Amino acid sequence: MRTPDESFIAEAGLRPEISQSWRRSLLSGLRPDTALALEPSEDFDRRGRLQTAAAPVLDQLAAELAGSGFGILLADSRARIVDRRFGVDHLAGAFDRAGVVVGSRFLEENTGTNSIATVFEIRRGVTVRGEEHYIEALKAFTCYGHPLVSRVTGRLEGVLDISCPAELANPLLAPYLVRAAREIEQRLLQGARESEQRLLAAYQSASVGGRRAVAALTEGVVMASSAAMELLEPSDHALLRCLAAELPARRPARRELRLSAGRTVVADFRPVPGTGGVLIALDDPAQTRAAVPRGRERAAAAPSEGHGGELERHRLARRPVLVSGEPGTGRTTTVADLTRGMSVCRLDAVEPAGALDLAERIEAAGADVVVVEDLQLLSPAQLAQVARLLGRGDLWTVLTSAPVPELGPEHAALAARCLARIDLPPLRARREELPSLVNEFVARLRPQARLRFTAQAVQALAAHPWRGNLHELREVLLHVLENRSAGDVTRRDLPPTLREAARTRGLSLLERVEYEAIVTALRDCSGNKVHAARRLGLSRATLYRRIRALGIDDTAAGTG
């Protein structure tokens, strides 16, 4: 098949909105002959607000289209198919073979031009006729899609789609679909009011008496008991909201958290069905410690506290220990705490193997313990020497390495001989500790500073991937402290990379590309939208619409 390029698209003679979609698909690296090998996800709430509001409308559509060759699809705000209905049963098999199944995520970057992915990109209704599909596997269908928009927030709640074999296409299906979409939007509006009442009732039931710390969170709404208000800072509210949004399939969960003030609590997250909200009960860990998963306990320690009793147990046992974790997770600090007060002989993996006589160095140092840095970098000769060390009963050996799953076979085999291990989690897995970690780092870096991180700032920190882990967090806080020593730290005080991460979280790949292109143009044009639109080749109306849809504000564009 011919490799697609601009001339390939031009020769296809497509409508403007379809050719633009093909270009976006092409830029994502997608080929028309790509097989749709989508991996359906089960991690979504099958009884969420959208499905609840849409169910009666979908039932009516299915009844009206019974016996026909039409299928009805409902996608959520992440472009995942969450419901589907068929006029005839055999159509389900055709959709299955094309990869159009519940849980599949339809974005232009992985499915090309179609009436879910393209509507999700441009936020308006689209008809895609058979040959207008970018992916060959979908050309057998014609589909009609329309966005479902919240009348309260203006945000995209989902996409409603009617699809059929291409030969059954009927232009009257487009207005028919619009009518159904408006009915779902109206039901979403009614459901929003009802869900607020249900959430309030659940909150009142959980907080009866006012003695328990209970909070209820949903979009734009926070309720908290007096006990919770005394316990939580604004930054804690922001972190709780981030953690609630990531509940797997909106199922209950229990987490051990360290709050901004340094206090440790156990938080029970319980989604309230049909509301989109979450009820959070906070308890004293001394009363609930037995119920907390053991795997969470290892991540609760602050970097200054190490691993407490675990370190002392290893010091007493003096058996080979492996300290593993990504760069920046605190391996060096942990080893220093583990071997404090001992005579240490250190083996650096970058030293030439031929220049190394480890036995002589150990004897000369009179070492109690040998620390082998960066196991994953050891040469074969060094591996052999360290393997001999592990067999000595008179010398304690401590090794550090990258995460064990990342080790090669020979290095993993050596690591396997260390039955005692300290696995340091990456910072992105410790986001529930961010407020307390931030406060402790600030206290060490500049004890006299009197800073308060706002909810927006904490949300930006929680959205960041933290590839540099604690080292990167330290650099970020040094950046903040260079410009501020007291008062509220807002998102504007953070480095640009963190501000952008918070804004672009949840955007598709192409949306992020579009976001960056618009922000760059606005910055280059000093915020002049007329000049920026001309540079981007867009009309002013289109630029304004995309700015609103992508959440670009003056601070993002560097003009505020």
Side-chain angles (χ1 to χ4, degrees):
M1 179 179 181
R2 174 182 168 183
T3 301
D5 53 21
E6 280 293 331
S7 61
F8 174 84
I9 295 173
E11 292 169 10
L14 303 168
R15 291 179 288 142
E17 64 267 33
I18 301 298
S19 63
Q20 290 167 9
S21 174
W22 277 37
R23 288 188 177 91
R24 290 192 296 268
S25 302
L26 177 62
L27 286 171
S28 71
L30 196 65
R31 287 180 54 89
D33 58 355
T34 300
L36 288 186
L38 305 179
E39 295 185 5
S41 170
E42 296 294 328
D43 190 19
F44 63 89
D45 186 358
R46 295 177 181 272
R47 296 178 296 174
R49 287 192 308 114
L50 176 62
Q51 292 94 310
T52 301
V57 180
L58 297 182
D59 290 342
Q60 181 64 30
L61 290 175
E64 292 172 356
L65 296 173
S68 71
F70 294 95
I72 307 155
L73 303 173
L74 178 68
D76 66 9
S77 60
R78 296 187 61 197
R80 293 176 302 191
I81 297 175
V82 294
D83 202 348
R84 63 180 196 170
R85 313 289 176 88
F86 301 105
V88 289
D89 291 340
H90 68 79
L91 192 59
F95 275 61
D96 289 344
R97 289 189 293 275
V100 187
V101 298
V102 170
S104 293
R105 194 175 185 201
F106 270 61
L107 300 170
E108 284 190 343
E109 64 199 59
N110 68 335
T111 63
T113 304
N114 59 77
S115 62
I116 292 178
T118 303
V119 169
F120 189 75
E121 286 290 338
I122 68 176
R123 303 302 202 260
R124 60 183 175 84
V126 170
T127 298
V128 182
R129 307 180 187 103
E131 289 298 318
E132 291 179 329
H133 285 91
Y134 183 82
I135 295 291
E136 293 291 331
L138 299 178
K139 290 184 182 294
F141 300 97
T142 288
C143 50
Y144 309 82
H146 198 81
L148 302 170
V149 179
S150 169
R151 297 183 185 179
V152 176
T153 65
R155 295 180 179 177
L156 183 71
E157 295 279 356
V159 176
L160 182 64
D161 168 279
I162 294 181
S163 297
C164 62
E167 62 272 15
L168 298 180
N170 186 330
L172 294 179
L173 283 173
Y176 175 75
L177 184 69
V178 171
R179 186 201 70 190
R182 288 175 178 164
E183 188 175 346
I184 293 175
E185 289 175 348
Q186 180 60 34
R187 290 183 58 82
L188 278 169
L189 179 61
Q190 295 168 352
R193 297 168 182 150
E194 295 170 1
S195 68
E196 287 180 6
Q197 293 299 318
R198 286 196 292 273
L199 185 63
L200 176 60
Y203 164 74
Q204 289 174 331
S205 175
S207 60
V208 63
R211 295 180 181 177
R212 195 178 188 194
V214 176
L217 305 176
T218 189
E219 188 175 320
V221 177
V222 177
M223 293 179 279
S225 66
S226 56
M229 291 176 67
E230 292 176 3
L231 192 63
L232 300 172
E233 299 288 340
S235 57
D236 296 321
H237 284 288
L239 188 64
L240 288 173
R241 189 180 293 281
C242 290
L243 295 174
E246 296 176 351
L247 292 181
R250 308 292 288 175
R251 292 191 295 270
R254 174 170 286 188
R255 305 286 291 272
E256 186 173 279
L257 311 177
R258 299 187 76 246
L259 302 179
S260 302
R263 182 172 177 178
T264 300
V265 299
V266 172
D268 280 305
F269 293 82
R270 180 166 62 85
V272 182
T275 69
V278 177
L279 198 66
I280 305 171
L282 304 165
D283 291 307
D284 186 333
Q287 300 173 1
T288 56
R289 177 74 65 181
V292 179
R294 294 180 61 86
R296 299 302 308 168
E297 294 179 4
R298 62 173 173 76
S304 60
E305 296 172 349
H307 290 254
E310 184 182 9
L311 295 186
E312 189 58 29
R313 287 194 301 273
H314 292 315
R315 287 166 62 92
L316 293 173
R318 294 178 66 83
R319 293 190 180 92
V321 178
L322 177 68
V323 180
S324 66
E326 295 179 2
T329 51
R331 291 183 313 204
T332 300
T333 301
T334 300
V335 170
D337 290 340
L338 187 62
T339 60
R340 183 169 286 117
M342 298 182 180
S343 175
V344 176
C345 179
R346 190 174 301 273
L347 167 60
D348 190 337
V350 299
E351 294 184 24
L356 183 66
D357 189 337
L358 192 56
E360 289 183 6
R361 286 177 51 184
I362 294 170
E363 185 176 351
D368 300 315
V369 56
V370 174
V371 174
V372 181
E373 299 278 7
D374 293 318
L375 169 65
Q376 73 278 4
L377 301 179
L378 293 179
S379 67
Q382 291 171 322
L383 282 172
Q385 292 197 55
V386 174
R388 288 193 293 272
L389 277 180
L390 294 179
R392 288 180 57 173
D394 62 328
L395 191 68
W396 188 26
T397 307
V398 177
L399 298 88
T400 75
S401 81
V404 173
E406 298 179 10
L407 298 178
E410 293 182 353
H411 297 82
L414 186 61
R417 295 180 59 182
C418 296
L419 300 183
R421 293 188 180 181
I422 300 174
D423 295 317
L424 301 175
L427 185 54
R428 60 183 173 276
R430 302 176 62 183
R431 283 187 295 168
E432 64 269 25
E433 300 175 61
L434 269 172
S436 59
L437 287 174
V438 165
N439 289 342
E440 289 170 13
F441 266 112
V442 169
R444 288 204 305 273
L445 293 171
R446 188 169 299 174
Q448 70 274 22
R450 295 292 179 267
L451 297 178
R452 173 182 172 274
F453 280 73
T454 64
Q456 273 194 341
V458 171
Q459 286 175 336
L461 293 173
H464 191 62
W466 297 111
R467 294 182 179 88
N469 293 297
L470 295 173
H471 287 178
E472 186 181 5
L473 177 61
R474 181 179 184 276
E475 292 303 313
V476 167
L477 295 176
L478 283 173
H479 171 92
V480 171
L481 290 168
E482 285 174 2
N483 301 289
R484 181 179 293 277
S485 60
D488 285 352
V489 175
T490 69
R491 193 164 60 187
R492 291 188 183 192
D493 295 310
L494 301 176
T497 52
L498 272 81
R499 297 199 298 267
E500 297 307 310
R503 291 188 177 94
T504 59
R505 190 182 191 189
L507 297 182
S508 70
L509 173 63
L510 291 175
E511 284 178 322
R512 291 195 295 273
V513 171
E514 187 178 12
Y515 181 101
E516 291 166 4
I518 291 175
V519 166
T520 300
L522 287 170
R523 287 173 179 166
D524 291 346
C525 297
S526 302
N528 188 309
K529 294 182 177 64
V530 175
H531 294 167
R534 187 179 301 123
R535 172 174 290 201
L536 292 166
L538 303 174
S539 68
R540 276 184 292 172
T542 298
L543 178 61
Y544 278 104
R545 186 170 64 251
R546 298 311 295 154
I547 286 174
R548 287 194 299 272
L550 297 169
I552 298 172
D553 57 23
D554 289 341
T555 58
T559 60

